[in-house]
Amino acid sequence: MGARIGNAIVGLWLFASAFLWPHAGVHHFNAAFVGAGVVTMAIAGLSGSLWPRRINLLLGAWLVLSTILLRPGVSATFVNHVVVGVAVAWLALSPAPQV
């Protein structure tokens, strides 16, 4: 459960970061939509289902790849998106606690 909460926090940060400094074109929408998706999947993952974790893994990978391929104009956006994308993917891969 801790990893799902961590993903929700990271997703909220990504969503908020879209509005905290200027993002070049597509990176603004990418941060907002991926952030909202990560939060939604983190909450859905609290039920113990595996599919929300897989979607978050894909969202994290998408964030990293799209940031590298589309090169944002602001270096803060590049660093933020790569770090957040790696964190989302890593947290999505962490196993659910055994009860």
Side-chain angles (χ1 to χ4, degrees), residues 2-41:
R4 298 328 132 231
I5 292 171
N7 246 344
I9 292 168
V10 172
L12 284 171
W13 164 253
L14 180 61
F15 181 81
S17 75
F19 306 99
L20 293 176
W21 64 84
H23 286 62
V26 70
H27 294 287
H28 172 76
F29 295 107
N30 209 18
F33 287 117
V34 171
V38 167
V39 171
T40 302
M41 291 302 106

PDB file of all heavy atoms in Angstrom, residues 2-41:
ATOM      1  N   GLY A   2       2.043   1.211   0.602  1.00  0.00           N
ATOM      2  CA  GLY A   2       2.904   2.382   0.670  1.00  0.00           C
ATOM      3  C   GLY A   2       3.354   2.856  -0.697  1.00  0.00           C
ATOM      4  O   GLY A   2       3.459   4.056  -0.949  1.00  0.00           O
ATOM      5  N   ALA A   3       3.611   1.911  -1.606  1.00  0.00           N
ATOM      6  CA  ALA A   3       4.031   2.278  -2.957  1.00  0.00           C
ATOM      7  C   ALA A   3       2.894   2.940  -3.713  1.00  0.00           C
ATOM      8  O   ALA A   3       3.126   3.861  -4.511  1.00  0.00           O
ATOM      9  CB  ALA A   3       4.524   1.048  -3.713  1.00  0.00           C
ATOM     10  N   ARG A   4       1.661   2.504  -3.500  1.00  0.00           N
ATOM     11  CA  ARG A   4       0.515   3.138  -4.175  1.00  0.00           C
ATOM     12  C   ARG A   4       0.325   4.563  -3.673  1.00  0.00           C
ATOM     13  O   ARG A   4       0.044   5.465  -4.446  1.00  0.00           O
ATOM     14  CB  ARG A   4      -0.773   2.355  -3.937  1.00  0.00           C
ATOM     15  CG  ARG A   4      -0.887   0.952  -4.408  1.00  0.00           C
ATOM     16  CD  ARG A   4      -0.149   0.540  -5.650  1.00  0.00           C
ATOM     17  NE  ARG A   4       0.532  -0.689  -5.321  1.00  0.00           N
ATOM     18  CZ  ARG A   4       1.836  -0.909  -5.531  1.00  0.00           C
ATOM     19  NH1 ARG A   4       2.592  -0.028  -6.086  1.00  0.00           N
ATOM     20  NH2 ARG A   4       2.383  -2.034  -5.190  1.00  0.00           N
ATOM     21  N   ILE A   5       0.494   4.778  -2.380  1.00  0.00           N
ATOM     22  CA  ILE A   5       0.385   6.126  -1.828  1.00  0.00           C
ATOM     23  C   ILE A   5       1.530   6.982  -2.346  1.00  0.00           C
ATOM     24  O   ILE A   5       1.336   8.151  -2.706  1.00  0.00           O
ATOM     25  CB  ILE A   5       0.336   6.080  -0.291  1.00  0.00           C
ATOM     26  CG1 ILE A   5      -0.969   5.429   0.159  1.00  0.00           C
ATOM     27  CG2 ILE A   5       0.484   7.479   0.303  1.00  0.00           C
ATOM     28  CD1 ILE A   5      -1.054   5.129   1.625  1.00  0.00           C
ATOM     29  N   GLY A   6       2.726   6.399  -2.410  1.00  0.00           N
ATOM     30  CA  GLY A   6       3.868   7.114  -2.976  1.00  0.00           C
ATOM     31  C   GLY A   6       3.619   7.519  -4.415  1.00  0.00           C
ATOM     32  O   GLY A   6       3.941   8.642  -4.829  1.00  0.00           O
ATOM     33  N   ASN A   7       3.030   6.628  -5.205  1.00  0.00           N
ATOM     34  CA  ASN A   7       2.712   6.956  -6.590  1.00  0.00           C
ATOM     35  C   ASN A   7       1.665   8.057  -6.674  1.00  0.00           C
ATOM     36  O   ASN A   7       1.727   8.921  -7.547  1.00  0.00           O
ATOM     37  CB  ASN A   7       2.242   5.715  -7.357  1.00  0.00           C
ATOM     38  CG  ASN A   7       3.206   5.332  -8.446  1.00  0.00           C
ATOM     39  OD1 ASN A   7       4.064   6.104  -8.845  1.00  0.00           O
ATOM     40  ND2 ASN A   7       3.059   4.123  -8.946  1.00  0.00           N
ATOM     41  N   ALA A   8       0.704   8.041  -5.771  1.00  0.00           N
ATOM     42  CA  ALA A   8      -0.303   9.100  -5.758  1.00  0.00           C
ATOM     43  C   ALA A   8       0.340  10.454  -5.464  1.00  0.00           C
ATOM     44  O   ALA A   8       0.016  11.460  -6.112  1.00  0.00           O
ATOM     45  CB  ALA A   8      -1.389   8.792  -4.733  1.00  0.00           C
ATOM     46  N   ILE A   9       1.274  10.481  -4.526  1.00  0.00           N
ATOM     47  CA  ILE A   9       1.962  11.735  -4.184  1.00  0.00           C
ATOM     48  C   ILE A   9       2.805  12.220  -5.354  1.00  0.00           C
ATOM     49  O   ILE A   9       2.785  13.409  -5.713  1.00  0.00           O
ATOM     50  CB  ILE A   9       2.805  11.552  -2.908  1.00  0.00           C
ATOM     51  CG1 ILE A   9       1.888  11.347  -1.704  1.00  0.00           C
ATOM     52  CG2 ILE A   9       3.752  12.723  -2.696  1.00  0.00           C
ATOM     53  CD1 ILE A   9       2.588  10.882  -0.448  1.00  0.00           C
ATOM     54  N   VAL A  10       3.547  11.299  -5.981  1.00  0.00           N
ATOM     55  CA  VAL A  10       4.383  11.669  -7.131  1.00  0.00           C
ATOM     56  C   VAL A  10       3.496  12.147  -8.285  1.00  0.00           C
ATOM     57  O   VAL A  10       3.822  13.118  -8.974  1.00  0.00           O
ATOM     58  CB  VAL A  10       5.281  10.483  -7.553  1.00  0.00           C
ATOM     59  CG1 VAL A  10       5.999  10.760  -8.852  1.00  0.00           C
ATOM     60  CG2 VAL A  10       6.278  10.166  -6.458  1.00  0.00           C
ATOM     61  N   GLY A  11       2.357  11.480  -8.492  1.00  0.00           N
ATOM     62  CA  GLY A  11       1.420  11.896  -9.537  1.00  0.00           C
ATOM     63  C   GLY A  11       0.841  13.275  -9.279  1.00  0.00           C
ATOM     64  O   GLY A  11       0.687  14.077 -10.202  1.00  0.00           O
ATOM     65  N   LEU A  12       0.522  13.552  -8.019  1.00  0.00           N
ATOM     66  CA  LEU A  12       0.028  14.890  -7.663  1.00  0.00           C
ATOM     67  C   LEU A  12       1.094  15.948  -7.934  1.00  0.00           C
ATOM     68  O   LEU A  12       0.793  17.034  -8.428  1.00  0.00           O
ATOM     69  CB  LEU A  12      -0.405  14.936  -6.198  1.00  0.00           C
ATOM     70  CG  LEU A  12      -1.737  14.286  -5.870  1.00  0.00           C
ATOM     71  CD1 LEU A  12      -1.936  14.222  -4.353  1.00  0.00           C
ATOM     72  CD2 LEU A  12      -2.877  15.047  -6.523  1.00  0.00           C
ATOM     73  N   TRP A  13       2.345  15.629  -7.604  1.00  0.00           N
ATOM     74  CA  TRP A  13       3.437  16.559  -7.879  1.00  0.00           C
ATOM     75  C   TRP A  13       3.558  16.812  -9.386  1.00  0.00           C
ATOM     76  O   TRP A  13       3.694  17.944  -9.827  1.00  0.00           O
ATOM     77  CB  TRP A  13       4.769  16.051  -7.328  1.00  0.00           C
ATOM     78  CG  TRP A  13       5.899  16.814  -7.954  1.00  0.00           C
ATOM     79  CD1 TRP A  13       6.784  16.355  -8.891  1.00  0.00           C
ATOM     80  CD2 TRP A  13       6.219  18.193  -7.742  1.00  0.00           C
ATOM     81  NE1 TRP A  13       7.636  17.368  -9.269  1.00  0.00           N
ATOM     82  CE2 TRP A  13       7.304  18.505  -8.583  1.00  0.00           C
ATOM     83  CE3 TRP A  13       5.676  19.192  -6.934  1.00  0.00           C
ATOM     84  CZ2 TRP A  13       7.865  19.773  -8.625  1.00  0.00           C
ATOM     85  CZ3 TRP A  13       6.250  20.455  -6.979  1.00  0.00           C
ATOM     86  CH2 TRP A  13       7.324  20.740  -7.809  1.00  0.00           C
ATOM     87  N   LEU A  14       3.498  15.748 -10.185  1.00  0.00           N
ATOM     88  CA  LEU A  14       3.603  15.900 -11.637  1.00  0.00           C
ATOM     89  C   LEU A  14       2.478  16.774 -12.166  1.00  0.00           C
ATOM     90  O   LEU A  14       2.719  17.674 -12.975  1.00  0.00           O
ATOM     91  CB  LEU A  14       3.583  14.530 -12.319  1.00  0.00           C
ATOM     92  CG  LEU A  14       3.693  14.543 -13.835  1.00  0.00           C
ATOM     93  CD1 LEU A  14       5.014  15.177 -14.282  1.00  0.00           C
ATOM     94  CD2 LEU A  14       3.555  13.137 -14.384  1.00  0.00           C
ATOM     95  N   PHE A  15       1.261  16.528 -11.709  1.00  0.00           N
ATOM     96  CA  PHE A  15       0.124  17.341 -12.138  1.00  0.00           C
ATOM     97  C   PHE A  15       0.336  18.806 -11.755  1.00  0.00           C
ATOM     98  O   PHE A  15       0.154  19.708 -12.570  1.00  0.00           O
ATOM     99  CB  PHE A  15      -1.177  16.817 -11.525  1.00  0.00           C
ATOM    100  CG  PHE A  15      -2.386  17.586 -11.951  1.00  0.00           C
ATOM    101  CD1 PHE A  15      -2.980  17.318 -13.171  1.00  0.00           C
ATOM    102  CD2 PHE A  15      -2.919  18.579 -11.143  1.00  0.00           C
ATOM    103  CE1 PHE A  15      -4.101  18.038 -13.583  1.00  0.00           C
ATOM    104  CE2 PHE A  15      -4.027  19.298 -11.539  1.00  0.00           C
ATOM    105  CZ  PHE A  15      -4.627  19.025 -12.765  1.00  0.00           C
ATOM    106  N   ALA A  16       0.734  19.051 -10.509  1.00  0.00           N
ATOM    107  CA  ALA A  16       0.948  20.426 -10.048  1.00  0.00           C
ATOM    108  C   ALA A  16       2.094  21.093 -10.795  1.00  0.00           C
ATOM    109  O   ALA A  16       2.028  22.292 -11.104  1.00  0.00           O
ATOM    110  CB  ALA A  16       1.223  20.438  -8.537  1.00  0.00           C
ATOM    111  N   SER A  17       3.132  20.334 -11.121  1.00  0.00           N
ATOM    112  CA  SER A  17       4.290  20.920 -11.794  1.00  0.00           C
ATOM    113  C   SER A  17       3.937  21.464 -13.165  1.00  0.00           C
ATOM    114  O   SER A  17       4.615  22.363 -13.672  1.00  0.00           O
ATOM    115  CB  SER A  17       5.427  19.903 -11.896  1.00  0.00           C
ATOM    116  OG  SER A  17       5.159  18.926 -12.896  1.00  0.00           O
ATOM    117  N   ALA A  18       2.887  20.943 -13.771  1.00  0.00           N
ATOM    118  CA  ALA A  18       2.457  21.459 -15.076  1.00  0.00           C
ATOM    119  C   ALA A  18       2.076  22.931 -14.989  1.00  0.00           C
ATOM    120  O   ALA A  18       2.145  23.655 -15.988  1.00  0.00           O
ATOM    121  CB  ALA A  18       1.279  20.642 -15.600  1.00  0.00           C
ATOM    122  N   PHE A  19       1.709  23.387 -13.802  1.00  0.00           N
ATOM    123  CA  PHE A  19       1.237  24.757 -13.627  1.00  0.00           C
ATOM    124  C   PHE A  19       2.203  25.628 -12.821  1.00  0.00           C
ATOM    125  O   PHE A  19       1.967  26.819 -12.651  1.00  0.00           O
ATOM    126  CB  PHE A  19      -0.132  24.733 -12.942  1.00  0.00           C
ATOM    127  CG  PHE A  19      -1.119  23.868 -13.680  1.00  0.00           C
ATOM    128  CD1 PHE A  19      -1.390  22.568 -13.262  1.00  0.00           C
ATOM    129  CD2 PHE A  19      -1.748  24.338 -14.819  1.00  0.00           C
ATOM    130  CE1 PHE A  19      -2.279  21.764 -13.951  1.00  0.00           C
ATOM    131  CE2 PHE A  19      -2.649  23.548 -15.517  1.00  0.00           C
ATOM    132  CZ  PHE A  19      -2.906  22.257 -15.086  1.00  0.00           C
ATOM    133  N   LEU A  20       3.295  25.042 -12.325  1.00  0.00           N
ATOM    134  CA  LEU A  20       4.223  25.792 -11.476  1.00  0.00           C
ATOM    135  C   LEU A  20       5.279  26.558 -12.260  1.00  0.00           C
ATOM    136  O   LEU A  20       5.808  27.550 -11.758  1.00  0.00           O
ATOM    137  CB  LEU A  20       4.905  24.856 -10.476  1.00  0.00           C
ATOM    138  CG  LEU A  20       3.985  24.263  -9.418  1.00  0.00           C
ATOM    139  CD1 LEU A  20       4.747  23.276  -8.545  1.00  0.00           C
ATOM    140  CD2 LEU A  20       3.377  25.362  -8.563  1.00  0.00           C
ATOM    141  N   TRP A  21       5.624  26.121 -13.457  1.00  0.00           N
ATOM    142  CA  TRP A  21       6.570  26.844 -14.309  1.00  0.00           C
ATOM    143  C   TRP A  21       6.180  26.576 -15.761  1.00  0.00           C
ATOM    144  O   TRP A  21       5.467  25.620 -16.047  1.00  0.00           O
ATOM    145  CB  TRP A  21       8.025  26.451 -14.029  1.00  0.00           C
ATOM    146  CG  TRP A  21       8.399  25.033 -14.327  1.00  0.00           C
ATOM    147  CD1 TRP A  21       8.759  24.520 -15.535  1.00  0.00           C
ATOM    148  CD2 TRP A  21       8.452  23.947 -13.412  1.00  0.00           C
ATOM    149  NE1 TRP A  21       9.026  23.185 -15.430  1.00  0.00           N
ATOM    150  CE2 TRP A  21       8.853  22.806 -14.132  1.00  0.00           C
ATOM    151  CE3 TRP A  21       8.213  23.821 -12.051  1.00  0.00           C
ATOM    152  CZ2 TRP A  21       9.005  21.566 -13.542  1.00  0.00           C
ATOM    153  CZ3 TRP A  21       8.368  22.582 -11.479  1.00  0.00           C
ATOM    154  CH2 TRP A  21       8.765  21.481 -12.202  1.00  0.00           C
ATOM    155  N   PRO A  22       6.670  27.401 -16.674  1.00  0.00           N
ATOM    156  CA  PRO A  22       6.284  27.233 -18.078  1.00  0.00           C
ATOM    157  C   PRO A  22       6.815  25.924 -18.669  1.00  0.00           C
ATOM    158  O   PRO A  22       7.979  25.579 -18.478  1.00  0.00           O
ATOM    159  CB  PRO A  22       6.927  28.422 -18.791  1.00  0.00           C
ATOM    160  CG  PRO A  22       7.451  29.316 -17.738  1.00  0.00           C
ATOM    161  CD  PRO A  22       7.519  28.563 -16.453  1.00  0.00           C
ATOM    162  N   HIS A  23       5.955  25.218 -19.346  1.00  0.00           N
ATOM    163  CA  HIS A  23       6.318  23.993 -20.069  1.00  0.00           C
ATOM    164  C   HIS A  23       6.105  24.260 -21.554  1.00  0.00           C
ATOM    165  O   HIS A  23       5.144  24.922 -21.931  1.00  0.00           O
ATOM    166  CB  HIS A  23       5.408  22.829 -19.663  1.00  0.00           C
ATOM    167  CG  HIS A  23       5.684  22.272 -18.317  1.00  0.00           C
ATOM    168  ND1 HIS A  23       5.557  23.006 -17.154  1.00  0.00           N
ATOM    169  CD2 HIS A  23       6.068  21.043 -17.927  1.00  0.00           C
ATOM    170  CE1 HIS A  23       5.850  22.244 -16.112  1.00  0.00           C
ATOM    171  NE2 HIS A  23       6.169  21.041 -16.564  1.00  0.00           N
ATOM    172  N   ALA A  24       6.975  23.723 -22.374  1.00  0.00           N
ATOM    173  CA  ALA A  24       6.838  23.881 -23.818  1.00  0.00           C
ATOM    174  C   ALA A  24       5.705  22.993 -24.319  1.00  0.00           C
ATOM    175  O   ALA A  24       5.707  21.785 -24.082  1.00  0.00           O
ATOM    176  CB  ALA A  24       8.143  23.519 -24.514  1.00  0.00           C
ATOM    177  N   GLY A  25       4.725  23.579 -24.977  1.00  0.00           N
ATOM    178  CA  GLY A  25       3.631  22.903 -25.662  1.00  0.00           C
ATOM    179  C   GLY A  25       3.148  21.606 -25.074  1.00  0.00           C
ATOM    180  O   GLY A  25       2.443  21.562 -24.072  1.00  0.00           O
ATOM    181  N   VAL A  26       3.533  20.516 -25.714  1.00  0.00           N
ATOM    182  CA  VAL A  26       3.035  19.194 -25.377  1.00  0.00           C
ATOM    183  C   VAL A  26       3.433  18.758 -23.967  1.00  0.00           C
ATOM    184  O   VAL A  26       2.731  17.960 -23.349  1.00  0.00           O
ATOM    185  CB  VAL A  26       3.487  18.160 -26.431  1.00  0.00           C
ATOM    186  CG1 VAL A  26       4.979  17.907 -26.335  1.00  0.00           C
ATOM    187  CG2 VAL A  26       2.713  16.878 -26.296  1.00  0.00           C
ATOM    188  N   HIS A  27       4.504  19.275 -23.423  1.00  0.00           N
ATOM    189  CA  HIS A  27       4.964  18.853 -22.099  1.00  0.00           C
ATOM    190  C   HIS A  27       4.028  19.327 -20.990  1.00  0.00           C
ATOM    191  O   HIS A  27       3.922  18.670 -19.958  1.00  0.00           O
ATOM    192  CB  HIS A  27       6.393  19.326 -21.850  1.00  0.00           C
ATOM    193  CG  HIS A  27       7.364  18.660 -22.766  1.00  0.00           C
ATOM    194  ND1 HIS A  27       7.727  17.343 -22.621  1.00  0.00           N
ATOM    195  CD2 HIS A  27       8.001  19.101 -23.869  1.00  0.00           C
ATOM    196  CE1 HIS A  27       8.559  17.006 -23.575  1.00  0.00           C
ATOM    197  NE2 HIS A  27       8.738  18.058 -24.353  1.00  0.00           N
ATOM    198  N   HIS A  28       3.343  20.436 -21.209  1.00  0.00           N
ATOM    199  CA  HIS A  28       2.349  20.914 -20.243  1.00  0.00           C
ATOM    200  C   HIS A  28       1.206  19.891 -20.149  1.00  0.00           C
ATOM    201  O   HIS A  28       0.826  19.464 -19.055  1.00  0.00           O
ATOM    202  CB  HIS A  28       1.825  22.286 -20.660  1.00  0.00           C
ATOM    203  CG  HIS A  28       0.673  22.756 -19.842  1.00  0.00           C
ATOM    204  ND1 HIS A  28       0.830  23.245 -18.568  1.00  0.00           N
ATOM    205  CD2 HIS A  28      -0.650  22.782 -20.092  1.00  0.00           C
ATOM    206  CE1 HIS A  28      -0.360  23.575 -18.083  1.00  0.00           C
ATOM    207  NE2 HIS A  28      -1.268  23.293 -18.989  1.00  0.00           N
ATOM    208  N   PHE A  29       0.667  19.513 -21.297  1.00  0.00           N
ATOM    209  CA  PHE A  29      -0.433  18.552 -21.317  1.00  0.00           C
ATOM    210  C   PHE A  29       0.025  17.170 -20.855  1.00  0.00           C
ATOM    211  O   PHE A  29      -0.710  16.463 -20.172  1.00  0.00           O
ATOM    212  CB  PHE A  29      -1.044  18.478 -22.721  1.00  0.00           C
ATOM    213  CG  PHE A  29      -1.695  19.762 -23.123  1.00  0.00           C
ATOM    214  CD1 PHE A  29      -1.099  20.580 -24.066  1.00  0.00           C
ATOM    215  CD2 PHE A  29      -2.882  20.171 -22.547  1.00  0.00           C
ATOM    216  CE1 PHE A  29      -1.679  21.775 -24.427  1.00  0.00           C
ATOM    217  CE2 PHE A  29      -3.478  21.364 -22.893  1.00  0.00           C
ATOM    218  CZ  PHE A  29      -2.881  22.169 -23.846  1.00  0.00           C
ATOM    219  N   ASN A  30       1.237  16.799 -21.229  1.00  0.00           N
ATOM    220  CA  ASN A  30       1.791  15.516 -20.809  1.00  0.00           C
ATOM    221  C   ASN A  30       1.865  15.442 -19.282  1.00  0.00           C
ATOM    222  O   ASN A  30       1.462  14.445 -18.682  1.00  0.00           O
ATOM    223  CB  ASN A  30       3.184  15.330 -21.425  1.00  0.00           C
ATOM    224  CG  ASN A  30       3.555  13.897 -21.650  1.00  0.00           C
ATOM    225  OD1 ASN A  30       2.718  13.012 -21.678  1.00  0.00           O
ATOM    226  ND2 ASN A  30       4.839  13.662 -21.814  1.00  0.00           N
ATOM    227  N   ALA A  31       2.371  16.490 -18.656  1.00  0.00           N
ATOM    228  CA  ALA A  31       2.478  16.503 -17.190  1.00  0.00           C
ATOM    229  C   ALA A  31       1.098  16.441 -16.536  1.00  0.00           C
ATOM    230  O   ALA A  31       0.887  15.690 -15.575  1.00  0.00           O
ATOM    231  CB  ALA A  31       3.237  17.745 -16.725  1.00  0.00           C
ATOM    232  N   ALA A  32       0.161  17.212 -17.056  1.00  0.00           N
ATOM    233  CA  ALA A  32      -1.172  17.256 -16.453  1.00  0.00           C
ATOM    234  C   ALA A  32      -1.899  15.923 -16.617  1.00  0.00           C
ATOM    235  O   ALA A  32      -2.428  15.374 -15.647  1.00  0.00           O
ATOM    236  CB  ALA A  32      -1.989  18.387 -17.065  1.00  0.00           C
ATOM    237  N   PHE A  33      -1.914  15.383 -17.824  1.00  0.00           N
ATOM    238  CA  PHE A  33      -2.663  14.155 -18.064  1.00  0.00           C
ATOM    239  C   PHE A  33      -1.987  12.925 -17.467  1.00  0.00           C
ATOM    240  O   PHE A  33      -2.664  12.074 -16.890  1.00  0.00           O
ATOM    241  CB  PHE A  33      -2.914  13.962 -19.565  1.00  0.00           C
ATOM    242  CG  PHE A  33      -3.949  14.910 -20.105  1.00  0.00           C
ATOM    243  CD1 PHE A  33      -3.605  15.838 -21.066  1.00  0.00           C
ATOM    244  CD2 PHE A  33      -5.252  14.888 -19.642  1.00  0.00           C
ATOM    245  CE1 PHE A  33      -4.541  16.729 -21.550  1.00  0.00           C
ATOM    246  CE2 PHE A  33      -6.206  15.768 -20.124  1.00  0.00           C
ATOM    247  CZ  PHE A  33      -5.851  16.698 -21.090  1.00  0.00           C
ATOM    248  N   VAL A  34      -0.681  12.825 -17.593  1.00  0.00           N
ATOM    249  CA  VAL A  34       0.016  11.679 -16.997  1.00  0.00           C
ATOM    250  C   VAL A  34      -0.087  11.758 -15.471  1.00  0.00           C
ATOM    251  O   VAL A  34      -0.323  10.754 -14.803  1.00  0.00           O
ATOM    252  CB  VAL A  34       1.481  11.600 -17.475  1.00  0.00           C
ATOM    253  CG1 VAL A  34       2.257  10.545 -16.694  1.00  0.00           C
ATOM    254  CG2 VAL A  34       1.534  11.291 -18.967  1.00  0.00           C
ATOM    255  N   GLY A  35       0.063  12.952 -14.903  1.00  0.00           N
ATOM    256  CA  GLY A  35      -0.070  13.111 -13.455  1.00  0.00           C
ATOM    257  C   GLY A  35      -1.436  12.679 -12.963  1.00  0.00           C
ATOM    258  O   GLY A  35      -1.553  11.936 -11.976  1.00  0.00           O
ATOM    259  N   ALA A  36      -2.489  13.113 -13.655  1.00  0.00           N
ATOM    260  CA  ALA A  36      -3.847  12.718 -13.271  1.00  0.00           C
ATOM    261  C   ALA A  36      -4.038  11.211 -13.427  1.00  0.00           C
ATOM    262  O   ALA A  36      -4.667  10.563 -12.583  1.00  0.00           O
ATOM    263  CB  ALA A  36      -4.869  13.473 -14.113  1.00  0.00           C
ATOM    264  N   GLY A  37      -3.470  10.645 -14.479  1.00  0.00           N
ATOM    265  CA  GLY A  37      -3.579   9.202 -14.691  1.00  0.00           C
ATOM    266  C   GLY A  37      -2.863   8.403 -13.621  1.00  0.00           C
ATOM    267  O   GLY A  37      -3.371   7.389 -13.145  1.00  0.00           O
ATOM    268  N   VAL A  38      -1.682   8.868 -13.231  1.00  0.00           N
ATOM    269  CA  VAL A  38      -0.910   8.176 -12.193  1.00  0.00           C
ATOM    270  C   VAL A  38      -1.676   8.190 -10.871  1.00  0.00           C
ATOM    271  O   VAL A  38      -1.769   7.165 -10.175  1.00  0.00           O
ATOM    272  CB  VAL A  38       0.491   8.807 -12.030  1.00  0.00           C
ATOM    273  CG1 VAL A  38       1.178   8.311 -10.768  1.00  0.00           C
ATOM    274  CG2 VAL A  38       1.349   8.506 -13.260  1.00  0.00           C
ATOM    275  N   VAL A  39      -2.246   9.325 -10.521  1.00  0.00           N
ATOM    276  CA  VAL A  39      -3.019   9.412  -9.275  1.00  0.00           C
ATOM    277  C   VAL A  39      -4.228   8.475  -9.331  1.00  0.00           C
ATOM    278  O   VAL A  39      -4.494   7.730  -8.386  1.00  0.00           O
ATOM    279  CB  VAL A  39      -3.469  10.865  -8.997  1.00  0.00           C
ATOM    280  CG1 VAL A  39      -4.440  10.923  -7.836  1.00  0.00           C
ATOM    281  CG2 VAL A  39      -2.267  11.746  -8.732  1.00  0.00           C
ATOM    282  N   THR A  40      -4.923   8.492 -10.445  1.00  0.00           N
ATOM    283  CA  THR A  40      -6.109   7.639 -10.601  1.00  0.00           C
ATOM    284  C   THR A  40      -5.736   6.163 -10.481  1.00  0.00           C
ATOM    285  O   THR A  40      -6.407   5.397  -9.774  1.00  0.00           O
ATOM    286  CB  THR A  40      -6.780   7.904 -11.958  1.00  0.00           C
ATOM    287  OG1 THR A  40      -7.123   9.292 -12.032  1.00  0.00           O
ATOM    288  CG2 THR A  40      -8.018   7.061 -12.142  1.00  0.00           C
ATOM    289  N   MET A  41      -4.673   5.765 -11.151  1.00  0.00           N
ATOM    290  CA  MET A  41      -4.254   4.355 -11.098  1.00  0.00           C
ATOM    291  C   MET A  41      -3.701   3.976  -9.725  1.00  0.00           C
ATOM    292  O   MET A  41      -3.877   2.838  -9.280  1.00  0.00           O
ATOM    293  CB  MET A  41      -3.221   4.061 -12.187  1.00  0.00           C
ATOM    294  CG  MET A  41      -3.774   4.101 -13.592  1.00  0.00           C
ATOM    295  SD  MET A  41      -5.126   2.930 -13.847  1.00  0.00           S
ATOM    296  CE  MET A  41      -6.539   4.022 -13.883  1.00  0.00           C
TER     297      MET A  41
END
